[in-house]
């Protein structure tokens, strides 16, 4: 069974930094792209960033480009999101999610973690 | 960026009825369209991908249809556990992978 467990969410001041982690198990980690999706309180889903299975390629939404960095440690089956220069509108639950097919990024997300809450406030 | 527009924002129905949820894309996405269900306090769950293919374990009362820019999620014989928020997502033209704003299906 696929299991994704996010951690690292916290309350942080505007301009601060935070690193989220997503520990994965139950599938061949090195074969699947991984994605971060966020959800502001009471709002819809917003795609944040995706990284290829190998970790060589990644893409991010314009809203976080230059501030957030997605990475992965394939030896430890862990996905990361380094979040810098945080703003109030980054406040959200951050979900990690797995691609539904091997070795491609342009596919739906078939497994999701339960999310971790990031609150940006002074 | 492809904009996904869902309608209605809220749909009020009774158990046993049939729900039709719409999703419109600002540009054609051929068959690269998925639907997700999100129950309160839970993570989203993949229901449908490729417009009409049910994900593993999804009951047959869920069906998807459409092509190009117009898509529909139909839920027949609504069960109590189906009352949730539903999102469509395109994965044809990316980044970004864009979601619709969601349709809340509530009990009438």
């Amino acid at each position: 069974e696929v299991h994704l467990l996010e951690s690292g969410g916290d309350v942080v001041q505007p301009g601060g930094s935070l690193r989220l982690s997503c520990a994965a198990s139950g599938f061949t980690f090195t074969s699947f792209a991984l994605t971060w999706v966020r959800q502001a309180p009471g709002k819809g889903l917003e795609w944040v960033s995706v990284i290829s299975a190998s970790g060589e390629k990644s893409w991010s939404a314009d809203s976080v480009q230059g501030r957030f960095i997605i990475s992965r440690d394939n030896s430890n089956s862990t996905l990361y999101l380094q979040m810098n220069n945080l703003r109030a509108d980054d406040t959200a639950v951050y979900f990690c999610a797995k691609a539904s097919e091997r070795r491609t990024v342009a596919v739906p997300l078939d497994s999701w973690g339960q999310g971790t809450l990031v609150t940006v406030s002074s | 960026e492809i904009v996904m527009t869902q309608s209605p924002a809220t749909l009020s129905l009774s158990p046993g009825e049939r729900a039709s949820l719409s999703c419109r894309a600002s540009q054609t996405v051929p068959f690269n369209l998925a639907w997700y269900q999100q129950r309160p306090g839970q993570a989203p769950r993949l229901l449908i991908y490729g417009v009409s293919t049910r994900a593993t374990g999804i009951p047959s009362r869920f069906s998807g249809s459409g092509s190009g820019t117009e898509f529909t999620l139909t839920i027949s014989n609504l069960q109590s556990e189906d009352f949730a928020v539903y999102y469509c997502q395109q994965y044809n033209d990316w980044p970004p992978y864009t979601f619709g704003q969601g349709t809340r299906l509530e009990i009438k």
Side-chain angles (χ1 to χ4, degrees):
Chain A
E1 180 185 0
V2 173
H3 192 54
L4 299 168
L5 181 63
E6 303 93 338
S7 61
D10 204 346
V11 179
V12 60
Q13 292 188 339
S17 297
L18 207 58
R19 188 176 82 157
L20 305 183
S21 300
C22 174
S25 61
F27 64 100
T28 305
F29 187 81
T30 54
S31 293
F32 292 89
L34 295 167
T35 295
W36 288 100
V37 175
R38 68 184 180 182
Q39 187 170 38
K43 303 297 184 181
L45 303 173
E46 179 188 13
W47 173 79
V48 174
S49 191
V50 62
I51 189 167
S52 65
S54 66
E56 293 178 351
K57 296 183 178 181
S58 64
W59 297 263
S60 294
D62 287 347
S63 58
V64 306
Q65 188 72 45
R67 300 188 299 123
F68 290 11
I69 301 171
I70 188 171
S71 63
R72 62 192 294 163
D73 181 347
N74 281 355
S75 63
N76 287 311
S77 299
T78 303
L79 172 71
Y80 300 102
L81 186 67
Q82 177 66 44
M83 310 166 67
N84 300 322
N85 192 19
L86 282 159
R87 312 185 305 218
D89 61 359
D90 295 318
T91 294
V93 173
Y94 286 73
F95 297 100
C96 65
K98 168 189 160 291
S100 55
E101 295 180 28
R102 295 174 183 267
R103 306 198 183 286
T104 179
V105 295
V107 290
L109 306 169
D110 68 351
S111 297
W112 297 62
Q114 285 303 303
T116 188
L117 177 62
V118 173
T119 302
V120 184
S121 174
S122 55
Chain B
E1 173 180 329
I2 296 179
V3 176
M4 307 300 289
T5 303
Q6 293 185 239
S7 61
T10 302
L11 185 58
S12 300
L13 292 170
S14 301
E17 292 191 300
R18 185 169 82 168
S20 291
L21 287 65
S22 295
C23 175
R24 174 178 294 177
S26 60
Q27 304 172 37
T28 182
V29 297
F31 297 98
N32 297 312
L33 189 284
W35 291 93
Y36 298 85
Q37 176 194 66
Q38 188 177 30
R39 295 171 176 150
Q42 295 188 15
R45 175 174 71 146
L46 178 64
L47 294 177
I48 301 282
Y49 63 93
V51 174
S52 60
T53 302
R54 282 189 299 277
T56 302
I58 301 303
S60 58
R61 64 179 181 274
F62 291 89
S63 62
S65 61
S67 65
T69 62
E70 301 281 346
F71 304 92
T72 301
L73 173 69
T74 301
I75 313 170
S76 59
N77 187 23
L78 282 167
Q79 305 296 300
S80 58
E81 62 266 29
D82 300 336
F83 292 92
V85 180
Y86 292 84
Y87 296 94
C88 61
Q89 180 209 20
Q90 68 84 20
Y91 49 97
N92 185 72
D93 182 36
W94 59 275
Y97 303 92
T98 43
F99 291 91
Q101 81 279 20
T103 290
R104 180 179 304 276
L105 178 58
E106 64 177 25
I107 299 177
K108 186 174 183 180

